[in-house]
Amino acid sequence: MVFQPHGLSPDRSARDLFGARLRHHRERAGLSLRRLAEELNYSKSHLARIERAESLPYDDLPTMLDAHFGTDGLFTSLYELVRKEPIPRRFHRVIEIASRATVIRQYASATVPGLLQTSELALRSLRSGRPYAPVAEIEATASARIDRQARLSSQRPPRCWFILDEAVLRRRVGSAEVMRHQMMSLIERGTSPHVTLQVLPFDAGEHAEMGGSLTLYTLPDQPLLAYLEGSRSGTIIEDQDEVAELEESYDLLKAMALSPRDSEAMIRAAMEDWTPCEPPRT
């Protein structure tokens, strides 16, 4: 079987453009990925991911490519565009949907939703799922996630309703201090008139959305959309029969969850649990 390289659409993203230019110059030079990796003393697997637009270039690779191919700063210039676009393209559509939504309803079973994360928790969450990613790539992705929260403070923010499983409050991400600051941030977010927070306690028992995240997006002049997300994948649901079932599931979770006032009390109790105890005085 003849190997067929992964297709790229250079006009789709800066990552695709960088990968397409890398492949073009590599093939024009008659080099395999393995040979180019050897000549650059670079990881072949990471070069492949960059060429497929699945990973960010990092370190001094753009400069090395310009020197190797004699491209007079082409890859260095492209890298500046790539740095501003740290989100993999498979998430672009749902991010675009979220940016236009007038109402966002989300249930999170395992971790704090991105729109509510502190920068410290965002960094630790991303690192846990991508242990081999370069530090610069993790920081860029976390920064992009935090930047999207600005919409919650805009003049016309979306109406947001978040249901957090109790596990979100109890599972440590990073240090106890990171968790305490995250609980404080949740309490502050919950005071916004356009944000409602509820906690689904453990004793609520089983339900249909265990183990995943469900988000419902209301957009102007469009049917309701749903988004199901696991630890490493996400699916946009547009079929209205399926969306209706998921909306019913969300409404049931809302009924099972604590009231906003009782939810705040549980978050405050979790914050106290994450507060380090002072050592006894002697």
Side-chain angles (χ1 to χ4, degrees):
M1 180 181 293
V2 178
F3 171 74
Q4 295 294 329
H6 176 88
L8 291 169
S9 299
D11 59 344
R12 181 165 50 189
S13 72
R15 287 190 191 213
D16 278 270
L17 182 57
F18 193 103
R21 292 296 88 197
L22 172 56
R23 179 178 294 168
H24 169 76
H25 286 281
R26 177 179 63 77
E27 292 180 343
R28 190 172 70 173
L31 298 173
S32 66
L33 273 170
R34 182 180 298 279
R35 182 60 180 167
L36 179 60
E38 291 172 351
E39 292 185 4
L40 296 178
N41 191 26
Y42 204 80
S43 163
K44 173 180 174 292
S45 61
H46 194 235
L47 273 180
R49 291 195 299 273
I50 292 170
E51 194 171 283
R52 295 195 301 266
E54 294 174 354
S55 185
L56 286 170
Y58 66 97
D59 297 336
D60 54 354
L61 177 64
T63 304
M64 293 163 59
L65 291 173
D66 281 328
H68 192 82
F69 293 122
T71 43
D72 192 27
L74 169 67
F75 288 100
T76 302
S77 298
L78 287 176
Y79 177 59
E80 293 305 312
L81 295 177
V82 173
R83 287 179 59 191
K84 299 173 183 176
E85 185 190 74
I87 308 301
R89 66 174 181 267
R90 65 181 181 274
F91 296 119
H92 286 185
R93 187 175 177 222
V94 72
I95 290 174
E96 189 271 336
I97 289 171
S99 71
R100 295 190 295 115
T102 57
V103 181
I104 299 174
R105 291 174 284 170
Q106 184 170 10
Y107 163 69
S109 67
T111 190
V112 177
L115 282 174
L116 300 176
Q117 289 182 3
T118 62
S119 57
E120 295 89 351
L121 190 126
L123 284 168
R124 295 304 297 257
S125 297
L126 289 165
R127 171 56 69 196
S128 66
R130 299 159 64 183
Y132 303 111
V135 171
E137 183 171 340
I138 294 295
E139 290 178 345
T141 306
S143 178
R145 178 177 293 182
I146 299 303
D147 287 346
R148 290 196 296 276
Q149 296 178 3
R151 188 158 181 250
L152 297 184
S153 304
S154 64
Q155 289 187 343
R156 299 192 66 178
R159 177 70 174 93
C160 295
W161 200 302
F162 298 100
I163 302 173
L164 310 180
D165 196 279
E166 186 176 347
V168 172
L169 313 182
R170 303 299 182 187
R171 183 181 299 280
R172 191 180 73 178
V173 178
S175 65
E177 184 177 14
V178 168
M179 291 299 297
R180 182 168 61 86
H181 288 164
Q182 180 63 74
M183 297 303 107
M184 292 172 61
S185 180
L186 288 176
I187 293 168
E188 182 179 356
R189 284 292 192 187
T191 63
S192 300
H194 58 279
V195 175
T196 298
L197 288 178
Q198 286 185 269
V199 175
L200 184 69
F202 289 140
D203 61 15
E206 71 278 3
H207 58 84
E209 305 306 323
M210 291 186 297
S213 171
L214 165 63
T215 308
L216 300 169
Y217 293 109
T218 301
L219 289 86
D221 303 319
Q222 288 190 32
L224 186 67
L225 295 177
Y227 182 63
L228 294 174
E229 188 174 18
S231 60
R232 298 185 182 276
S233 62
T235 304
I236 297 172
I237 308 296
E238 299 181 81
D239 180 89
Q240 289 303 290
D241 289 337
E242 292 184 58
V243 172
E245 291 180 4
L246 291 169
E247 185 177 25
E248 181 179 349
S249 181
Y250 188 89
D251 288 342
L252 180 58
L253 290 173
K254 187 163 59 175
M256 297 167 64
L258 299 175
S259 69
R261 179 176 296 180
D262 290 342
S263 296
E264 179 183 339
M266 178 172 279
I267 295 171
R268 287 188 181 277
M271 182 176 68
E272 291 300 318
D273 290 341
W274 290 117
T275 302
C277 297
E278 294 185 4
R281 295 181 179 180
T282 57

